[in-house]
Every structure is written in structure tokens, then in C-alpha cells.
Amino acid sequence: MIRGSHPEKDRRPLSVDLGVTDVVVIGAGQAGLSASYFLRRRNVDHVVLDANDAPGGAWLHRWPSLRMRTVHGIHELPGMPFEQPSPDERANEAIPSYFARYEQLFDLPVIRPVNVTQVVDDGALLKVETTDGVWTTRGLINATGTWRRPFWPYYPGQETFRGRQLHTADYQGPEEFAGKRVVVVGGGASATQLLMELAPLAADTRWVTRHEPVWREGPFTEDYGRWVVGMVDDRVRKGLIPRSVVSVTGLALNEQTRAAIASGVLDRKPVFDRITPTGVAWGSEHYDADIILWATGFRHDLDHLAPLHLRAPGGGIQVDGTRVVSDPRIHLVGYGPSASTIGANRAGRSAVRELMRHLDGAKAA
Ligand SMILES: Cc1cc2nc3c(=O)[nH]c(=O)nc-3n(C[C@H](O)[C@H](O)[C@H](O)COP(=O)(O)OP(=O)(O)OC[C@H]3O[C@@H](n4cnc5c(N)ncnc54)[C@H](O)[C@@H]3O)c2cc1C
């Protein structure tokens, strides 16, 4: 079970009325904290409801072997510098500790652990149903990220595999792969990072991806960043399911990945067409495997918004900036183009500005 979810609490009856507030923020990761900071600056009455037991958002759950030297770069939260920790420090300690200090410094009204089970329309207001009771709110900023929704694609025979299957979200470090034959599925940065980490211990590895990987050389310039964000933004404006920012950027070609390509660790094969009890197969070719590691990414965690029927025919929620086109009381931050630490920060500020303009207008009318 992923830390921070509380199935036993989720079954409690929803009878407690927790009161009315101007804005409910769901999620206290980078996006939710950024939104709360800007709400605080405007003295907006709000609460931040977070399912985790402790500060840190998704970073609290990153695998213990992920060190600060391997994360792509963390953009600081608004108003408080992020003193660069030592490269050897664990990401799942350094970043949560920064978030904890941030919540404290700005006295952000985070309540945890609280799981939002659903949000329902109640005329001019929204009812936010949680494991602790029901909040009533005029506006909603959803910042629930993706970590609780690992994506597992299906391949024929998957249920027959007698070895172990796990997702990036379950990865705890390379030790359990020692002496094993491992298939890593996925074309993103997590797949390459985990492969490079576990290959020295494993008996053998195979890397499979749906598409030929695109390696990106050279610095991640601002112009390039803008183009990437534009690509993701274009999809969510059309109501399509967003692609992750990382999926558009390609894979970084650096000293470490070059060495792994040269040694054969990052020698990519197309994805198998079926899974067998003892491994994976492409036509008549078979690879015996003990473990399949699905580094196949995550999806946005939005099921609690289902009663609001926000999804467009394209399967995504149509947003303009962060505002949900079909319901201006609702903003999605950390969604689509803002699903990075830098994007989440900007989205927090613009969501608050636009939402408060809308709510103030509605109050005056
Ligand atoms: C392995 C990995 C490495 C990454 N590295 C980087 C990097 O180096 N740099 C970068 O910019 N980005 C990186 N990213 C992307 C990064 O995760 C996001 O940019 C950012 O951390 C997401 O912040 P967030 O606030 O949107 O979501 P999260 O940090 O996921 O926070 C969401 C919060 O919402 C809570 N929540 C969810 N559902 C509910 C609910 N129903 N009720 C109550 N609370 C709920 C969760 O418990 C969580 O605390 C990485 C992603 C992954 C998977």
C-alpha cells in the first residue's frame, strides 16, 4: 500500500460538517503549497487537505536510493530559498524537510492525514467530502499530483507470470534485484535511472520501450522549456489527456547515460508482444525473466472529481491555464503543463489570482 492512503479511514461515514471556507486546496505537494502561499498573502480563508501523514507530497514516497544528485532539479517554493542539500542526501528526506519548514514559516493551514473521497456540486457551492467529514467551499484548487495513480499497461499473459512484477512506485532500491534477470519497461527518465542503478547487481537486464528513445544533448534552455510546456498546454486546452512534461523533453544524454549506452545497459529493444509464465516473448524469441519492473509512469489523480463530470470527450479535463473551462470555480494545478516543480509554482500563483477574481466577481454580483 502506498503510504498516506487510509482505506480503513475511507470507510468512515461522512456525517461531520467541518464548516464553510472560501477555498479548499486538495494536496500539499509543490503545487498545493504554492497555491496556499498565494492565498495566505491575500488573506483568503482556506484549508489545504492532504492525504499524506507528513509534509513532502510525492517526494515523501520516492525510493530511498534516489539522491539529490539524481533528481533533475527542484525549483524552490515561492518566498523561501531551497538551500541545496548535499548531493548524497536522500531526496525523500531533503525535500520533505524543506516542505515542512515552508509550511511552518508561512503558517499554512494544512490538515493531514485527510483523504478527499469526492467533490460534489451543491448549487453555488462545492461539497468536499473527506475521511474527516465534509467541507463546504466557494472555490477549489486541485493539486493532487500523480503519485497515487501508477500506470500499469496490460500485455497478454501478464497474469500468468510466475516471477515478480512491480512498478516504479514500489521500487525501494537495487538490492532486491541482485542475481535476478530483470526486464525494465518504459521510455522515461525513471526507467533509465533505475536500470543504471540495478544493472550492476542484476544477473542480466533487458530494457524495452514502445518508441525508439529520443536522446537530448545540450542544456535545457528556457526557449526549449517554453516549447515543451507549449506542447503539453496545447493538449489540455483541447481537453485531451495530457502528456507529461518529461515525455516531451526526451532523455538527457550525459556522461552516465553515454557510459550505460556503451556498456549495453541502455540498449533498447521494442516491447515484447506477450508475457509468459517464465518471461517475455517477441514472436518466437523468448527472454527468461525473474522480475518485470514497470517504469510506465503515472496518471493524474482526479477520481474524486468524477461526480462533477468535468471530463471532455477527448478524455482529459479541458483547462485554460489552470481554470477548468466548464467550471471556473475549479482550478487544476500541477496538471498537464504545470506538472513540474517550476510549473507547479507558477500555476499556484496564477490559479489564485484568477480564482479570486472570479469569486470576488461572483460575490459582488
Ligand atoms: C520519480 C520522479 C522524479 C521526479 N523528479 C522531478 C524533478 O527532479 N524535478 C521536477 O521538477 N519534477 C520532478 N518530477 C515531477 C514532480 O513529481 C512534480 O513536478 C511535482 O513534485 C508534483 O507536485 P504536485 O504538488 O503536483 O504533486 P505531489 O507532490 O504528488 O502532491 C500531491 C499531494 O496531494 C495529495 N493527495 C492526492 N490525492 C489526494 C486526495 N484525494 N485527498 C487528499 N490529498 C490527496 C498527496 O498525498 C500529495 O501529498 C518527478 C516525478 C517523478 C515520478
Side-chain angles (χ1 to χ4, degrees), residues 214-221 224 228 248-254:
V214 177
W215 295 98
R216 180 181 51 80
E217 213 159 353
F220 192 103
T221 61
Y224 181 66
V228 168
V248 184
T249 60
L251 296 164
L253 199 50
N254 53 34

Side-chain angles (χ1 to χ4, degrees), residues 23 39 42 44 351-361:
V23 179
L39 288 166
R42 287 171 173 249
V44 177
V352 168
R353 193 188 307 129
E354 207 177 322
L355 177 61
M356 293 324 293
R357 203 182 300 139
H358 171 76
L359 294 180
D360 291 345

Side-chain angles (χ1 to χ4, degrees), residues 21-277:
T21 182
D22 278 336
V23 179
V24 167
V25 179
I26 313 177
Q30 185 100 11
L33 292 184
S34 160
S36 180
Y37 169 87
F38 289 107
L39 288 166
R40 219 353 148 230
R41 281 220 319 201
R42 287 171 173 249
N43 287 322
V44 177
D45 185 27
H46 73 286
V47 288
V48 184
L49 309 177
D50 188 42
N52 277 343
D53 297 320
W59 293 102
L60 196 60
H61 307 292
R62 302 283 198 249
W63 50 95
S65 56
L66 183 68
R67 305 288 153 160
M68 287 309 295
R69 80 160 62 77
T70 1
V71 301
H72 306 307
I74 302 304
H75 196 78
E76 62 195 28
L77 283 157
M80 179 176 157
F82 179 45
E83 311 284 350
Q84 273 307 318
S86 127
D88 290 328
E89 212 173 313
R90 284 173 167 203
N92 69 6
E93 288 175 354
I95 301 169
S97 133
Y98 170 60
F99 282 18
R101 282 179 275 124
Y102 189 82
E103 286 179 14
Q104 225 172 8
L105 179 68
F106 296 108
D107 192 23
L108 302 182
V110 183
I111 309 177
R112 64 165 64 89
V114 177
N115 198 32
V116 173
T117 48
Q118 61 173 2
V119 181
V120 295
D121 205 343
D122 187 33
L125 301 170
L126 294 161
K127 294 269 186 212
V128 181
E129 299 182 359
T130 81
T131 43
D132 277 8
V134 182
W135 285 94
T136 303
T137 185
R138 298 172 60 228
L140 182 77
I141 297 185
N142 191 84
T144 45
T146 59
W147 186 255
R148 301 187 343 157
R149 285 209 54 207
F151 174 64
W152 296 69
Y154 177 77
Y155 285 88
Q158 198 156 354
E159 63 290 348
T160 67
F161 184 59
R162 289 202 291 266
R164 174 156 192 242
Q165 297 187 60
L166 75 165
H167 190 275
T168 316
D170 310 309
Y171 180 84
Q172 289 299 308
E175 294 76 18
E176 64 176 306
F177 298 86
K180 307 284 188 202
R181 292 157 304 178
V182 186
V183 179
V184 176
V185 189
S190 307
T192 57
Q193 276 180 16
L194 298 189
L195 254 169
M196 291 187 290
E197 190 169 287
L198 64 88
L201 277 77
D204 191 35
T205 59
R206 278 283 182 287
W207 179 33
V208 300
T209 71
R210 271 191 310 151
H211 306 291
E212 189 72 48
V214 177
W215 295 98
R216 180 181 51 80
E217 213 159 353
F220 192 103
T221 61
E222 280 209 9
D223 278 353
Y224 181 66
R226 263 196 294 275
W227 174 79
V228 168
V229 167
M231 293 270 291
V232 184
D233 193 38
D234 190 45
R235 285 184 65 85
V236 294
R237 273 179 197 281
K238 292 177 180 149
L240 299 171
I241 295 170
R243 289 176 67 191
S244 71
V245 171
V246 179
S247 77
V248 184
T249 60
L251 296 164
L253 199 50
N254 53 34
E255 209 182 311
Q256 207 197 1
T257 47
R258 261 185 238 281
I261 292 169
S263 72
V265 167
L266 292 185
D267 177 17
R268 172 265 176 187
K269 302 257 183 299
V271 182
F272 40 81
D273 45 59
R274 65 190 192 283
I275 299 176
T276 71

